[in-house]
Amino acid sequence: MIASAVRTLKNFAGGRWESSAGEPRQVTNPSTGEVIAQVPFATPAEVDKTVRAAHEAYLQWREVPVVDRVQVLYRYKALLEKHADEVARILSTENGKTLPDALMEVRRAIQMVEVACGMPTLMMGDSIENVSRGIDSQTIRQPLGVCAGITPFNFPAMVPMWMFPFAIACGNSFILKPSEKVPLTPERTAELLEEAGVPAGVYSVIHGGRETTDALMMHPLVRAVSFVGSSPVAKHVYETSAKAGKRVQALGGAKNHLVVMPDADLEKSVEAIMSSAFGAAGERCLAGSVLVPVGEVAEPLLAKLVAAANALQVGDSLAPGVGMGPLVTGEHRGKVAGYIEKGLAEGAKPLCDGRKSAGESEGFFLGPTIFDGVTPKMTIAREEIFGPVLSVIRVRTLDEAISLVNGSEFGNTTSIFTSDGKSARDYASRVECGMVGVNIGVAAPMAFFPFSGWKNSFFGDLHAHGKDAVAFYTEQKVIMTRWF
Ligand code: NAD
């Protein structure tokens, strides 16, 4: 179904909103299946023009004092606050996460801007007098030039803001290539940045898919590439960008384990596990995907969890009281349903099957699925599903749980639920994951810490946001001075 007045989006390049000659694709409302916009895929010539304009803008912007650069971000924060509900509504409509969840994402995005407002302090270098007799030494941080960001569908407000507020505050210009599945939120947040007074060309948004991304990564005037998305694409972006001589950070997919000890608080753990596994329909890179009950906790834990999953209200993401919205596209829904079939075929035991609670709607709904009797070799135990499917692998000891977690090719996040400090400390110390939660279902770092995936969940060395972002978006220079 196509809504009556479907408009085609424009690119924001060189400070202007311009139509693209690229092939348009459809953007859908996943709650209804309705087409709500068309998004053009920018051509390599349009990418080239955008990068050149961004480079010209950078040459001026880098000369603006950092204290003045951050004034744009202060105004941007105020505008984001003012329009938070409106942005969240757009986000929920195109992505399918519930409205309260979308609003929480917008709040997290605003926190990124707040932290980047501290750039006059964050960008400071070091200095020391008399490194040798009569010689002083200092380091300064300088911007790189044009930086590019390629972002996924699941956080269309927040993930771009892991990047551009920091990059711009450091004196770079920035080009965002958002996910073609959710281009309306990045469009609105770009309009607000324009209203905040960002100079023409300092921030650009170009839409597209692989060809657009490749043209950006290969462009000689692009100095740094930030990517967030699935691991195969993250690896491709990392390799291609590095080969083209770019600085690159590429955050990939995940398979996150939630370990529950026999001494855990069951009520609170179940609440956290439900939100981790089924919040945003499991479409979070920090979503719990494998539940690992240790010892005798399995039976009481699963009884409570299945009851909570059966009570979860699935429906239109904008409707009040809905606990879980649809998956982002019909294609993605089909992929997740395919994993449920695979789980059944490989012998896992469904305690609830989300295909049954999906209803008759045109939307891309799937209810929560919980599989018991999963073994580490099964596909559903190893691969990222990125949907509301939780696999249960029972173990006998904490050591066994740690070996299981460390056997995964991914290392984004993990959580332990326990009331024993020693178990929590051992777990946090020994697991090979970049982010660890203790009695927390989604251990998402705040804006001033780095987003620290390990293994196949991350390619690069400097992570997103926090102090890492400042290092990533600047070059250091050491200056030694002697006066005669
Ligand atoms: P995706 O990899 O399909 O797409 C991400 C971006 O890359 C999009 O902008 C897309 O247009 C572009 N792209 C897709 N294929 C490409 C190709 N072959 N070459 C160049 N560019 C390409 O990811 P998605 O489905 O949008 O998002 C979900 C994935 O993102 C999940 O795997 C999730 O775990 C991951 N993710 C990771 C983090 C993290 O911090 N590690 C955060 C959010 C999402």
Side-chain angles (χ1 to χ4, degrees):
M1 198 196 337
I2 301 190
S4 46
V6 168
R7 65 192 176 88
T8 302
L9 271 65
K10 294 182 173 174
N11 293 321
F12 182 52
R16 284 188 300 275
W17 292 91
E18 294 183 332
S19 299
S20 165
E23 190 71 24
R25 312 283 172 98
Q26 296 181 335
V27 183
T28 45
N29 172 342
S31 292
T32 61
E34 188 183 38
V35 176
I36 50 174
Q38 308 252 31
V39 61
F41 276 28
T43 62
E46 288 166 351
V47 171
D48 178 57
K49 193 174 156 215
T50 308
V51 175
R52 288 183 188 285
H55 182 69
E56 287 306 312
Y58 152 72
L59 296 175
Q60 307 282 323
W61 183 240
R62 59 167 294 149
E63 300 302 330
V64 175
V66 62
V67 286
D68 295 333
R69 291 198 299 254
V70 297
Q71 295 310 314
V72 173
L73 294 180
Y74 280 112
R75 292 195 292 274
Y76 189 41
K77 171 192 155 55
L79 283 167
L80 286 167
E81 296 278 3
K82 185 173 160 198
H83 294 276
D85 288 336
E86 178 205 346
V87 174
R89 190 162 273 276
I90 296 171
L91 200 166
S92 172
T93 305
E94 66 177 350
N95 166 280
K97 66 176 69 173
T98 64
L99 195 53
D101 197 16
L103 194 56
M104 218 145 61
E105 174 181 342
V106 176
R107 295 239 63 83
R108 281 284 185 140
I110 293 171
Q111 284 167 1
M112 299 293 154
V113 179
E114 288 168 352
V115 173
C117 283
M119 203 52 74
T121 314
L122 294 170
M123 250 185 113
M124 277 181 181
D126 299 316
S127 68
I128 186 164
E129 186 190 38
N130 248 8
V131 277
S132 187
R133 208 171 282 272
I135 298 179
D136 302 330
S137 192
Q138 67 172 142
T139 58
I140 58 169
R141 288 195 172 273
Q142 296 188 314
L144 303 172
V146 182
C147 301
I150 300 133
T151 52
F153 77 80
N154 63 331
F155 284 99
M158 182 186 74
V159 168
M161 289 192 217
W162 287 358
M163 305 170 184
F164 72 80
F166 294 94
I168 287 174
C170 288
N172 303 283
S173 57
F174 191 91
I175 302 173
L176 175 69
K177 204 299 289 168
S179 166
E180 65 281 15
K181 295 178 185 128
V182 288
L184 295 163
T185 309
E187 177 193 53
R188 188 67 191 116
T189 47
E191 285 170 353
L192 293 174
L193 188 55
E194 186 186 15
E195 196 181 329
V198 73
V202 169
Y203 183 63
S204 307
V205 179
I206 48 175
H207 298 289
R210 178 174 187 149
E211 196 191 22
T212 315
T213 309
D214 285 349
L216 254 184
M217 285 190 290
M218 301 304 289
H219 199 290
L221 286 174
V222 170
R223 291 285 321 278
V225 177
S226 301
F227 173 88
V228 178
S230 59
S231 287
V233 184
K235 193 160 184 282
H236 160 71
V237 168
Y238 182 71
E239 289 171 354
T240 313
S241 303
K243 201 168 168 197
K246 318 293 180 196
R247 183 175 291 195
V248 50
Q249 51 180 191
L251 287 70
K255 190 77 185 172
N256 307 314
H257 297 74
L258 305 174
V259 173
V260 184
M261 298 299 288
D263 54 26
D265 178 322
L266 275 196
E267 297 294 330
K268 291 203 170 75
S269 303
V270 165
E271 210 177 289
I273 293 163
M274 283 297 294
S275 151
S276 177
F278 304 124
E283 292 171 331
R284 289 185 188 138
C285 68
L286 297 185
S289 179
V290 182
L291 180 65
V292 188
V294 178
E296 72 271 18
V297 78
E299 293 304 329
L301 174 70
L302 289 179
K304 282 187 188 301
L305 199 61
V306 171
N310 286 334
L312 190 66
Q313 200 187 330
V314 180
D316 190 314
S317 63
L318 291 172
V322 162
M324 187 167 92
L327 289 140
V328 70
T329 59
E331 189 190 353
H332 188 55
R333 184 200 178 280
K335 188 176 163 200
V336 176
Y339 273 111
I340 298 175
E341 276 150 32
K342 189 99 186 160
L344 291 169
E346 288 184 350
K349 184 178 156 218
L351 301 180
C352 52
D353 181 339
R355 295 171 305 172
K356 292 183 183 147
S357 52
E360 295 297 308
S361 149
E362 295 287 309
F364 314 134
F365 296 102
L366 261 186
T369 297
I370 302 175
F371 275 119
D372 197 3
V374 177
T375 63
K377 286 208 162 63
M378 288 182 188
T379 310
I380 55 169
R382 290 181 290 108
E383 294 184 9
E384 181 178 45
I385 298 174
F386 219 56
V389 179
L390 185 64
S391 303
V392 181
I393 302 183
R394 299 179 185 220
V395 298
R396 280 158 300 178
T397 62
L398 182 60
D399 279 347
E400 226 182 290
I402 292 172
S403 304
L404 175 74
V405 175
N406 290 349
S408 171
E409 66 174 272
F410 298 101
N412 219 29
T413 189
T414 184
S415 292
I416 183 167
F417 295 89
T418 181
S419 55
D420 178 53
K422 171 86 168 68
S423 304
R425 188 177 183 278
D426 277 359
Y427 190 73
S429 170
R430 289 169 56 197
V431 281
E432 293 163 6
C433 281
M435 292 166 274
V436 181
V438 176
N439 296 317
I440 288 174
V442 182
M446 300 292 284
F448 28 84
F449 285 103
F451 200 91
S452 284
W454 284 14
K455 294 158 114 180
N456 269 358
S457 298
F458 180 73
F459 303 87
D461 54 2
L462 291 168
H463 291 81
H465 57 79
K467 288 180 194 157
D468 275 26
V470 183
F472 184 79
Y473 292 119
T474 54
E475 197 97 79
Q476 280 201 93
K477 189 178 274 178
V478 184
I479 302 173
M480 295 183 74
T481 312
R482 173 163 62 179
W483 295 101
F484 299 109

